[in-house]
Amino acid sequence: MAMKFNHAQKVATAHAITGLLAADGVDTREDLHAWLDHQANRAALRTVKGVGPKSIDYIGNLVGRSHVAVDVHLRAFAGDAGVPDLPYDQLRAVYEEAAALLGHDKGGLEHAAWRHKSKAT
């Protein structure tokens, strides 16, 4: 078993994503990596119930892109650092700018902050 979901909506979301990718001929990790280059494809993913910007950024990370997928842990980390509660895109930009200023990979910084906060909860 590759995925174990206990919630019917998560199963439906996974099926819808799979259907969308199959219809577009996305068969491999490399296909998905390239497919995500196109804004129209990212927009198509957003039409799937349960898929938001965090999901798209996370999927990008899974196929070798370096994104910041802002979740509850990254929001808490930012709050601890005195960063105000910002909309998703703005908080992602804060993390990306911090990574650039520190000379770190965006995805690596995201993962380090996530691990730090997930262990604290």
Side-chain angles (χ1 to χ4, degrees):
M1 175 180 353
M3 295 185 288
K4 183 178 180 182
F5 294 131
N6 293 322
H7 191 277
Q9 183 54 51
K10 288 183 180 181
V11 172
T13 299
H15 279 286
I17 291 170
T18 302
L20 173 65
L21 295 176
D24 279 358
V26 178
D27 294 320
T28 66
R29 181 179 188 268
E30 292 77 22
D31 291 345
L32 182 53
H33 188 279
W35 188 84
L36 288 169
D37 278 337
H38 304 282
Q39 191 58 39
N41 295 336
R42 295 169 70 86
L45 270 176
R46 289 291 305 271
T47 67
V48 174
K49 184 178 180 180
V51 175
K54 181 188 102 185
S55 299
I56 295 170
D57 288 336
Y58 184 75
I59 291 168
N61 284 338
L62 293 175
V63 296
R65 295 176 165 276
S66 183
H67 292 290
V68 175
V70 177
D71 69 355
V72 65
H73 296 303
L74 268 66
R75 286 194 176 281
F77 187 88
D80 290 350
V83 176
D85 189 26
L86 298 170
Y88 183 90
D89 289 342
Q90 289 178 2
L91 188 52
R92 181 180 59 206
V94 167
Y95 273 101
E96 290 172 349
E97 181 66 19
L101 289 170
L102 295 169
H104 291 290
D105 174 73
K106 295 178 289 192
L109 179 64
E110 180 244 23
H111 185 68
W114 187 92
R115 282 186 44 217
H116 174 74
K117 286 309 288 183
S118 69
K119 289 180 180 179
T121 58

